[in-house]
Amino acid sequence: MWLLALIALAAVAALGWRGWKARDAQAQAQAADAAQRLGAIEQRLESVRRDQRTLTQRVQDAAATNRVLRDEVLGLGQRGALLEESVAKLSDPSRHGAQALRLDEVEMLLSLAGQRLSVADDRDGARRAYALAAGALEGIDDHRLLNLKQTLAQERQALEAQGAGPRARLSRQLDAFAAGLAGLPQRTAAASAVTEQRRWQRWLAPLVDVRPSRQAAFVAPSDRNAGEAALRIEISLAHAALERGDAAGFQASLNRIDQWITRLWPDSPALRQGRQQLAAMRRLPLRDDVPLLGSTLEQLRSLRSAGFTAPPPAATATRLEEETVP
């Protein structure tokens, strides 16, 4: 019985081992198949990724092409608008004939007058430019320009009322002040009397030179010459600041001139009067605030930008006849 049991157990073990080997071979076959399928799927996925990258690049290229085309279309639209504007300007009757040329001339002369006033404060040049603009404007027979002519006349009157302008007046005052410096006394009367009273100073002159400190800060002639040269330079700088309309530079030059004259000359009524002149010049403005200046140019530009068109003389005459005849 025990031998039969061993045989049966051996048979069962053999059958089990064969079944296990079969299942193991089947599992290995399935794993190899799955690995092969996974490799195929990875290859397909890599191919899909390549296709996706290619499509993305194509989409980017198409977007860039679309942007270029859109910019070109916008440029064509802008060119079309510019062409329409040019055609509209060409079809505008105010762009033709002597009247358009006269209006351009008036605008150029008014601009030139404003630039002469603002840049160089050239009142005479501005007056000549305004006179030329008024003459050119008088040659245009149009009732719609009456307000413009009246504004130009008012602007010319305001410019004439200003005279030479603040810069020219300050320049003349500065020249008069510089000319008056030569008449300032080098020594005061009190210092001269003290010098005459103290006879002992003459005895000590070979050894000691005693001078009052209030006479001048520069004692040696070379120092005084250098100080007077520096004063002349400051006066020239003040003139240059006036020419370019630099209010801060003009004020600084006047302050330095005041410091130099107090160091070069002793206190006297003439010196105090000169310092008062400097203080008065410091308070004066370099520009006159006249609201009328430039109003004619603004009115002309607004009139032309509003579409000012002049009817032909024949149409004007016909319309006047229709209005006069009942």
Side-chain angles (χ1 to χ4, degrees), residues 47-68:
S47 177
V48 169
R49 287 176 179 174
R50 286 196 300 270
D51 294 341
Q52 184 180 3
R53 285 195 295 269
T54 304
L55 291 176
T56 303
Q57 185 65 32
R58 290 180 179 178
V59 169
Q60 291 178 357
D61 295 340
T65 305
N66 290 333
R67 284 196 298 269
V68 172

Side-chain angles (χ1 to χ4, degrees), residues 98-114:
Q99 182 169 353
L101 294 177
R102 286 184 178 274
L103 288 177
D104 292 337
E105 182 182 1
V106 170
E107 185 175 0
M108 182 190 66
L109 290 171
L110 292 176
S111 301
L112 181 61

Side-chain angles (χ1 to χ4, degrees), residues 62-76:
T65 305
N66 290 333
R67 284 196 298 269
V68 172
L69 292 175
R70 182 176 59 186
D71 294 338
E72 290 181 357
V73 170
L74 291 176
L76 290 175

Side-chain angles (χ1 to χ4, degrees), residues 238-252:
H239 277 293
L242 277 179
E243 290 294 334
R244 65 176 181 269
D246 186 5
F250 182 67
Q251 295 285 340

Side-chain angles (χ1 to χ4, degrees), residues 35-54:
Q36 186 177 2
R37 291 181 179 180
L38 183 60
I41 292 173
E42 288 179 354
Q43 291 179 357
R44 291 180 182 179
L45 183 61
E46 185 65 25
S47 177
V48 169
R49 287 176 179 174
R50 286 196 300 270
D51 294 341
Q52 184 180 3
R53 285 195 295 269
T54 304

